[in-house]
Amino acid sequence: MSEVARRPFAETVPTPAVECRELSHRFGSVQALDGVEFVVGSGEVFGLLGPNGAGKTTTIRVLVTLLRPDRGTVRVFGLDVVHNAMAVRRAIGYVPQQLSADQSLSGYENVWLFARLFDVPRAQLRSRVQEALALMGLEEAAHRPVATYSGGMVRRLELAQALVNRPRLLVLDEPTIGLDPVARAGVWQRVQELRARTGMTVLLTTHYMDEADRLCDRLALMHRGRVVALDTPARLKQSLGRTATLDDVFRHYTGSQLEESGSFRDVRSTRRTARRLG
């Protein structure tokens, strides 16, 4: 009897949460993405690192169906982001760099609007909104105007918005930018608790190397629209020597271009977000 025949059931390989192959995109004369490739396993916390202008946000915008690629493919749990865009949107939660909460509304109203956008059944609206707010520790502040929230509370509210449809993949594009260390720690504590409870896959970008080192199972370092290194934080550091840090790894692969990367628009957007959260 063959080895296959003796097995009680066929072994299956879980479908990757994200599969990015030969992804390319151009904005006019600027090649933003140039053959980006990486795979994110189901349940993994995966980080995209790189200087401003490296292509991280463009990659994420393709992944969450906000931008069509010029070439290549991106699949989310096996679904093509171009041909199955609506199904992909139902599977993900997304917190962008720019603030998405309306200051004139209450926290509850903001999350309720996102629940409607995600087409949460009417019979479940109230319970799902309350569940998302509770996950982020915002029950007591739920009916206050968002204009009265601290920066950390605003970011936790945006996480609640992203979680109201119970996504399988949570995408976070620099979610702690502009926050003080205590608020940063609070945001990541909530994300880690949620991941431990649900097994949710998390894909994030950050410029804080301590966050990436502590939180991520694996990292892809991007530079000039390409993935130039991909491994666990520990192995990336070991590749440069026993005393190397993740900052050393970052500098090694980005070189002198670190301070020259990005555009005026990138800087303006980052500063605007930081001011509103401060």
Side-chain angles (χ1 to χ4, degrees):
M1 184 181 295
S2 69
E3 179 65 24
V4 172
R6 285 197 298 269
R7 294 173 185 168
F9 54 85
E11 293 181 3
T12 59
V13 177
T15 301
V18 178
E19 190 172 6
C20 186
R21 301 294 185 192
E22 289 294 326
L23 178 62
S24 296
H25 189 80
R26 178 182 291 273
F27 294 106
S29 61
V30 178
Q31 187 72 49
L33 302 177
D34 188 13
V36 171
E37 292 204 0
F38 61 86
V39 175
V40 180
S42 182
E44 188 173 25
V45 178
F46 188 92
L48 287 178
L49 303 184
N52 289 333
K56 305 183 301 298
T57 294
T58 302
T59 300
I60 283 179
R61 289 180 65 195
V62 173
L63 191 155
V64 300
T65 77
L66 294 177
L67 193 65
R68 291 175 68 97
D70 295 336
R71 183 170 60 85
T73 60
V74 179
R75 295 183 182 277
V76 175
F77 297 109
L79 300 167
D80 186 278
V81 298
V82 174
H83 300 109
N84 306 105
M86 287 303 298
V88 169
R89 291 168 192 162
R90 293 189 185 99
I92 64 176
Y94 173 43
V95 178
Q97 285 184 30
Q98 294 77 20
L99 299 188
S100 57
D102 188 326
Q103 296 183 80
S104 66
L105 301 178
S106 70
Y108 184 95
E109 290 167 333
N110 270 282
V111 179
W112 184 88
L113 282 174
F114 270 73
R116 292 299 305 275
L117 287 172
F118 282 120
D119 201 26
V120 172
R122 284 185 178 274
Q124 299 178 26
L125 269 174
R126 181 182 294 274
S127 62
R128 292 277 284 273
V129 171
Q130 291 173 336
E131 174 189 76
L133 288 164
L135 284 171
M136 293 297 111
L138 293 171
E139 305 101 312
E140 293 184 5
H143 297 288
R144 280 171 38 195
V146 173
T148 68
Y149 284 20
S150 68
M153 291 172 69
V154 171
R155 278 310 199 195
R156 284 190 280 128
L157 175 63
E158 291 183 310
L159 283 167
Q161 293 171 170
L163 294 170
V164 74
N165 66 321
R166 296 174 179 169
R168 298 169 65 192
L169 169 66
L170 181 61
V171 181
L172 308 172
D173 193 2
E174 296 191 44
T176 56
I177 189 170
L179 298 183
D180 63 57
V182 174
R184 282 171 55 197
V187 168
W188 288 124
Q189 179 184 348
R190 298 290 178 177
V191 172
Q192 288 177 301
E193 289 172 352
L194 185 68
R195 187 224 181 180
R197 184 184 307 174
T198 67
M200 176 186 296
T201 305
V202 180
L203 188 150
L204 64 92
T205 74
T206 180
H207 279 127
Y208 298 113
M209 295 298 105
D210 61 317
E211 290 183 348
D213 202 354
R214 184 175 69 256
L215 298 167
C216 296
D217 299 311
R218 288 188 304 137
L219 298 168
L221 184 60
M222 296 186 66
H223 186 46
R224 294 182 176 179
R226 292 176 174 269
V227 173
V228 294
L230 196 160
D231 213 326
T232 65
R235 284 197 286 263
L236 286 170
K237 290 183 291 185
Q238 289 168 4
S239 70
L240 297 185
R242 294 179 59 184
T243 61
T245 67
L246 210 52
D247 292 275
D248 297 325
V249 174
F250 192 104
R251 285 190 290 268
H252 175 78
Y253 286 102
T254 60
S256 61
Q257 296 297 315
L258 178 59
E259 296 180 356
E260 301 173 12
S261 301
S263 64
F264 176 81
R265 184 177 179 180
D266 295 328
V267 175
R268 182 177 61 184
S269 175
T270 298
R271 288 182 177 176
R272 184 185 299 119
T273 301
R275 281 198 302 270
R276 291 182 65 188
L277 290 172

